[in-house]
């Protein structure tokens, strides 16, 4: 898996604070963006994060490039509706030279299960190649391709949705592959807006686990905002 932060709103914390402060300021956003003191920026952000008035967080966004993940992961990812995605197409990319797949550790841990996995992948690729050779369009032959197929995707989310995404997918109960991706995304985002992302991640970082009887029983260390 490779996760890269391609782009983010410049000075995202100042941009967010400016949008929030504009509601109560007699001057325009451009002037606020340039002249608001750093301590005032942090004060405004503190109010936002503690009050839960998160609409202003939507004024900053992040774009990530992710390679080397499975279609099983991206099927989960696109359930996050307030986001933009562009993914490598199986309609237009023909896998005539073979197909990279993502293999779970639970499969690799046992030689017998790994053999079952490898045989099933090989069979699906052989059938896929046969269909292509018979003139079946790639967009139809791809119906045979497995969830394990490696893919590439570009993801854009605003900060509000990112925090929601991290809350769900950094949790220990999230599926292992998407959790690993979310952890990487958070690690890249945090240095760009350290106050906003200070307590981003699984809900147990901020308080009680919301999973009830389904809790993992292994909470992350608590983070208290200053």
């Amino acid at each position: 898996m490779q996760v890269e932060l391609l782009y983010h709103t410049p000075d995202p914390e100042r941009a967010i604070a400016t949008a929030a402060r504009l509601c109560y300021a007699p001057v325009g956003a451009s002037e606020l963006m340039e002249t608001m003191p750093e301590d005032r920026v942090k004060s405004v952000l503190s109010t936002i994060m503690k009050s839960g008035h998160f609409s202003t967080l939507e004024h900053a966004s992040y774009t990530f490039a992710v390679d080397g993940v499975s279609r099983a992961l991206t099927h989960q990812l696109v359930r996050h509706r307030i986001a933009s995605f562009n993914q490598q197409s199986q309609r237009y990319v023909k896998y005539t030279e073979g197909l990279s797949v993502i293999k779970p550790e639970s499969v690799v841990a046992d030689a017998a299960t790994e053999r079952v996995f490898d045989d099933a992948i090989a069979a699906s690729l052989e059938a896929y190649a046969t269909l292509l050779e018979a003139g079946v369009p790639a967009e139809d032959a791809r119906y045979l391709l497995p969830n394990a197929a490696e893919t590439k995707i570009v993801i854009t989310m605003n900060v509000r949705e990112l925090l929601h995404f991290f809350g769900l997918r950094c949790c220990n109960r999230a599926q292992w592959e998407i959790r690993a991706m979310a952890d990487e995304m958070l690690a890249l985002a945090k240095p760009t807006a350290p106050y906003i992302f200070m307590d981003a991640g699984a809900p147990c970082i901020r308080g009680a686990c919301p999973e009830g009887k389904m809790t993992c029983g292994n909470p992350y260390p608590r983070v208290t905002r200053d």
Side-chain angles (χ1 to χ4, degrees):
M1 180 186 299
Q2 295 179 327
V3 182
E4 180 182 355
L5 177 57
L6 291 182
Y7 173 84
H8 64 82
T9 300
D11 204 347
E13 294 189 331
R14 177 170 288 273
I16 289 167
T18 294
R21 186 74 186 91
L22 179 66
C23 298
Y24 308 99
V27 298
S30 295
E31 184 174 341
L32 284 171
M33 188 75 177
E34 293 179 2
T35 63
M36 199 186 321
E38 283 299 323
D39 60 343
R40 185 60 172 147
V41 170
K42 184 173 180 180
S43 173
V44 173
L45 291 175
S46 177
T47 299
I48 292 169
M49 301 308 295
K50 291 177 180 177
S51 68
H53 293 171
F54 291 157
S55 63
T56 53
L57 300 180
E58 298 171 13
H59 292 290
S61 63
Y62 286 71
T63 298
F64 300 88
V66 181
D67 295 351
V69 294
S70 71
R71 284 265 171 171
L73 181 152
T74 57
H75 291 332
Q76 298 177 77
L77 176 62
V78 296
R79 294 172 184 167
H80 294 270
R81 291 164 176 78
I82 308 175
S84 299
F85 306 105
N86 281 91
Q87 186 171 6
Q88 183 184 61
S89 173
Q90 289 183 338
R91 290 186 67 196
Y92 302 112
V93 177
K94 294 182 180 180
Y95 301 97
T96 55
E97 303 298 323
L99 176 68
S100 296
V101 297
I102 308 303
K103 197 178 300 187
E105 290 185 6
S106 60
V107 171
V108 179
D110 181 83
T113 57
E114 185 174 21
R115 185 165 55 253
V116 170
F117 185 95
D118 291 343
D119 288 348
I121 296 295
S124 68
L125 291 180
E126 182 179 355
Y128 171 82
T130 299
L131 292 186
L132 290 181
E133 290 171 5
V136 174
E139 66 178 13
D140 295 334
R142 66 176 170 158
Y143 279 62
L144 291 170
L145 296 178
N147 274 338
E150 183 270 339
T151 190
K152 301 169 178 61
I153 192 165
V154 173
I155 307 159
T156 298
M157 295 183 183
N158 66 47
V159 170
R160 186 177 192 175
E161 176 60 16
L162 265 180
L163 291 174
H164 176 248
F165 173 77
F166 293 145
L168 293 175
R169 303 303 186 174
C170 292
C171 173
N172 283 326
R173 293 200 64 248
Q175 187 260 351
W176 63 269
E177 189 184 13
I178 199 169
R179 184 173 71 245
M181 185 188 74
D183 287 343
E184 289 285 339
M185 290 168 63
L186 177 54
L188 292 169
K190 186 173 286 188
T192 70
Y195 188 80
I196 287 175
F197 292 115
M198 179 187 300
D199 59 355
C204 56
I205 291 174
R206 298 175 294 279
C209 174
E211 295 288 339
K213 294 180 180 179
M214 301 297 288
T215 182
C216 72
N218 185 30
Y220 288 97
R222 288 285 297 276
V223 174
T224 303
R225 286 193 167 275
D226 54 20

